[in-house]
Structures are given as C-alpha cells and as structure tokens.
Amino acid sequence: MEYVIVDGEILDRTVAKVDIEDRGYQFGDGVYEVIRVYNGKMFTGKEHLQRLVESAEKIRMKLPYSPEELEPKMEELISKNELDTGIVYMQFTRGTSPRNHVFPAADVAPTFVAYTRKVARPVESMEKGVRSILDEDIRWLRCDIKSLNLLGNLLSKQKAAEAGCFEAILHRGETVTEGSHSNISIVKDGVIITHQADNLILNGITRQKVLEICSNEGITFEERAFTLDELSAADEVFSSGTTVEVMPIVEVDGKPVRNGEPGLVTRNLQNLFKAEIERQCGQI
Ligand SMILES: Cc1ncc(COP(=O)(O)O)c(C=O)c1O
C-alpha cells in the first residue's frame, strides 16, 4: 500500500481526496518543498522545512505546523512507505473556500498534502553530463518563493524536453538567472559564478550547500549575475538541485561547453557533495 498525508493524517493513497475548490487547485495559491531521501533519511531536511516556512510567510500564509512538527511527520511517511532512495514532496495551499481572488476568512485552514516517491540518483547523467537550451525567463518577479505557480518553469522545461535536453537555462535579456527546475553556475578560470540569491531565483538548498562546501574547501566563488556572453565563454557549466545534486551541463543551445565533457571543478564538487550526503545519510 502507498501512504500519503492529507491534512496531517496518514492515509491510503487510493482514498485520499482534495476538494475541487482547494485554492491550490484553482489558483496555485500555495507553496511546496521537495526533500531528497537517501537510505531512508532526509538530506538537508531542516533547511528545506525552514524555506517552506519562509515561502509561506512571503505569501502571507501561516502554516499550521512548525518545522519541528513537520520533520517527524515526514519521517513517519518515509518509514511507512519503506522509502530508501527518493523524495518526499509536501505542499500547503491556502485551503478550501468558494472561488474568490480575495483570501478566505482567517479560520479557513491551509490544506496540507505530502507523498513520497522512489527516485534513483541520476548517476549516468551525472557522469556524462547533460544538454541544455536557452530560454527567455518569462516568470514573475518573486522567483525566490517556492510557489505552486510553475507555468513559466513548465513551458521552458517542456521546450527543453522537446529538444531532447535536460534543462532550459533561463535569461532575462542578457542576464542568466537560473534553470527551469535547478540553479545554474558557471566556472571561469577556477572561479564558480552563480546568480545572487534575490527575487529572480529560487535560493536552492543544493546551491547553498555547494557554496558552503566551497567556503570550507577554499574554492573561490562569486554570487553575482552573469551574462549570456559569460555563459558561452565559460570553462564549465553545472546545474544544481535536490534530485540531480551537481549535474554537469556539457552543451548549451547546440554548442559544446569547452570540449563537451564535464570539467574538473564540477567533478570535484560532485565528489565533495556526495561526501556531504554520506556524512548525513550514510553510504550511497
Ligand atoms: C526554479 C528552481 N530553481 C532552483 C531549484 C533548486 O533548488 P533546490 O536545490 O532547493 O532543489 C529548483 C528545484 O526544484 C527549482 O525549481
């Protein structure tokens, strides 16, 4: 049996239901998180739950649970589903009420849904690297919120998929922001450059972990906007995200990055990131 959480209760997935007037369904009025699970343990779970609270605050929604209350619920779900390697997904919407753009009354409780899914580490892609396209970033100006409104991301990711690519690298004019479902970094002369954590990108937990590793290891990085020209002149390009960890990008819009093979800085980061996972969750 597969278990899910609906409004704090663990249920059999086949009987779990959400109302058609749920505001997540009608408006995408809610926030979500995806946490990686290795060996049945959440990786950087606390950081993800903290970001969930922050996303909710930014859309003026108060979550009915604290991160400290959510963590054991997720652990219970992982354990009931006997999940070894995968993800736990959770979302909170602004509840169920007759469709109206105005927020519902304060006594309408948020709807809380969570489930788990088996997701293997994409080891082959991580080894060989993946291809990408460029796409104009047409999203709103609060990309720092992990909101359920993902249409801009979906349209770009679909375009990438139709081109046989893993990711769409988004840009606002000349400025590269992030990917449709990951953060983007470039490496030039040994220095890692990635967009600063502002309203134009989601401040990825993986991105933050990578930068923390860089600080600890003495690897130089710059958090600043970079241009399409800098992207095409980069020695290395990589994507980072919860399910893909550190993923080398070896082609951008049909043009190879350097010699079209993952570079040494990215490879080193992949190894250091894996070591961090193993420190928290055991051998993978
Ligand atoms: C738009 C976007 N940027 C960045 C990320 C990476 O964030 P994280 O490392 O927290 O998974 C994601 C992940 O889903 C994303 O959707």
Side-chain angles (χ1 to χ4, degrees), residues 48 51 146 153 178-183 202 204-206 241-242:
H48 281 277
R51 185 173 65 184
K146 201 162 170 71
N153 307 61
E178 60 176 337
S180 72
H181 68 304
S182 67
N183 291 113
L202 181 76
I205 303 300
T206 319
T242 291

Side-chain angles (χ1 to χ4, degrees), residues 119-167:
V119 183
R121 296 179 71 226
V123 278
E124 201 185 324
S125 300
M126 288 162 76
E127 186 59 33
K128 292 188 187 148
V130 292
R131 298 162 60 220
S132 68
I133 58 161
L134 292 173
D135 203 20
E136 185 70 37
D137 192 343
I138 59 160
R139 301 171 303 159
W140 71 332
L141 295 173
R142 291 307 306 274
C143 299
D144 54 312
I145 302 172
K146 201 162 170 71
S147 115
L148 297 176
N149 284 275
L150 289 172
L151 258 184
N153 307 61
L154 306 189
L155 289 170
S156 293
K157 172 70 186 185
Q158 181 62 21
K159 208 164 159 181
E162 286 169 3
C165 291
F166 160 81
E167 183 57 300

Side-chain angles (χ1 to χ4, degrees), residues 94-262:
R94 210 184 302 273
T96 296
S97 82
R99 188 178 185 281
N100 185 341
H101 285 48
V102 176
F103 292 173
D107 61 352
V108 173
T111 309
F112 167 36
V113 166
Y115 60 82
T116 64
R117 181 172 293 165
K118 279 188 191 172
V119 183
R121 296 179 71 226
V123 278
E124 201 185 324
S125 300
M126 288 162 76
E127 186 59 33
K128 292 188 187 148
V130 292
R131 298 162 60 220
S132 68
I133 58 161
L134 292 173
D135 203 20
E136 185 70 37
D137 192 343
I138 59 160
R139 301 171 303 159
W140 71 332
L141 295 173
R142 291 307 306 274
C143 299
D144 54 312
I145 302 172
K146 201 162 170 71
S147 115
L148 297 176
N149 284 275
L150 289 172
L151 258 184
N153 307 61
L154 306 189
L155 289 170
S156 293
K157 172 70 186 185
Q158 181 62 21
K159 208 164 159 181
E162 286 169 3
C165 291
F166 160 81
E167 183 57 300
I169 300 181
L170 306 179
H171 57 96
R172 291 189 190 263
E174 285 305 302
T175 301
V176 176
T177 50
E178 60 176 337
S180 72
H181 68 304
S182 67
N183 291 113
I184 300 293
S185 303
I186 59 172
V187 182
K188 188 67 186 171
D189 300 328
V191 179
I192 293 164
I193 306 164
T194 193
H195 199 284
Q196 69 273 12
D198 61 14
N199 62 312
L200 297 185
I201 69 157
L202 181 76
N203 188 6
I205 303 300
T206 319
R207 172 191 180 280
Q208 294 175 51
K209 198 37 98 183
V210 164
L211 297 183
E212 188 186 308
I213 290 171
C214 289
S215 295
N216 294 342
E217 298 289 325
I219 302 167
T220 324
F221 65 87
E222 293 174 10
E223 288 181 88
R224 64 165 176 85
F226 56 90
T227 64
L228 285 172
D229 284 347
E230 285 182 281
L231 174 68
S232 65
D235 299 328
E236 301 178 31
V237 181
F238 67 86
S239 146
S240 61
T242 291
T243 51
V244 301
E245 302 173 17
V246 176
M247 179 65 83
I249 291 182
V250 293
E251 190 185 297
V252 180
D253 252 0
K255 189 173 152 263
V257 176
R258 210 186 37 169
N259 61 359
E261 282 180 15

Side-chain angles (χ1 to χ4, degrees), residues 29-47:
D29 185 6
V31 293
Y32 75 106
E33 273 299 329
V34 181
I35 304 178
R36 217 9 165 154
V37 176
Y38 301 102
N39 297 322
K41 296 194 184 82
M42 283 186 281
F43 176 63
T44 57
K46 286 187 172 46
E47 290 87 336

